[in-house]
Amino acid sequence: MLTPELLCRLHFTLRDLPRVRIEVDSCAAWAGLDEPRRGEFVVAVDAVAANAVEHAGGEGRLLLRQLGDELECQVTDSGPGFTEDVIPEVLPGLDGASTGRGLWLARLVTDGLTIAPAANATGWPRGGEEPTGSVVTLVMRLPGGERERGRDGE
């Protein structure tokens, strides 16, 4: 069984979003995620964190771990909760709307995106409180991992 290596744990609000981007970029680089995939991962995490601030209570919690050949980032909020059904299948905004692209983009550029009730979040005990909100988990494969080699046909 693989043991996850904790790379970053942050509580954030709107004013902390630049720090979130810097920390995720730095940790992803340390873990070996190269450009342009690292930039895509940072953009995806930023979009999800910004959604947590804007739509789910003004704050969030981020947990970034390396698990074998993958980076896993969980963004947990305390909003009303939502499901993957809210992510459109095609590019949102074609109807003139200027918002709604964050989760769509995050799903597009990462190797995995899941949404679950915050009760499923790891690493955030709150003194027995039952968490509310959602946890969005983003996954990005690191170069050289077994699945990466298999995908490229090497």
Side-chain angles (χ1 to χ4, degrees), residues 13-148:
T13 62
L14 177 62
R15 70 181 214 163
D16 301 311
L17 290 178
R19 178 176 172 225
V20 167
R21 292 187 293 270
I22 290 167
E23 291 289 334
V24 170
D25 183 64
S26 176
C27 291
W30 180 88
L33 188 60
D34 297 323
E35 292 292 351
R37 299 282 287 157
R38 186 170 75 238
E40 293 169 346
F41 187 61
V42 171
V43 166
V45 172
D46 180 58
V48 173
N51 278 350
V53 169
E54 184 177 349
H55 302 291
E59 64 181 7
R61 294 168 308 281
L62 179 140
L63 183 69
L64 180 60
R65 307 181 303 171
Q66 181 175 348
L67 181 59
D69 64 352
E70 294 181 337
L71 285 180
E72 177 189 87
C73 185
Q74 290 184 337
V75 177
T76 305
D77 65 49
S78 56
F82 66 102
T83 66
E84 291 180 42
D85 296 342
V86 303
I87 305 173
E89 292 297 319
V90 296
L91 175 65
L94 295 178
D95 58 359
S98 61
T99 62
R101 295 182 182 100
L103 288 169
W104 179 85
L105 177 67
R107 184 175 62 190
L108 181 70
V109 302
T110 60
D111 295 316
L113 183 145
T114 58
I115 301 168
N120 296 341
T122 57
W124 294 100
R126 285 192 159 187
E129 276 184 46
E130 186 65 24
T132 60
S134 298
V135 58
V136 178
T137 303
L138 304 124
V139 175
M140 192 70 98
R141 284 188 291 275
L142 295 167
E146 291 302 316
R147 285 185 255 181
E148 186 77 15

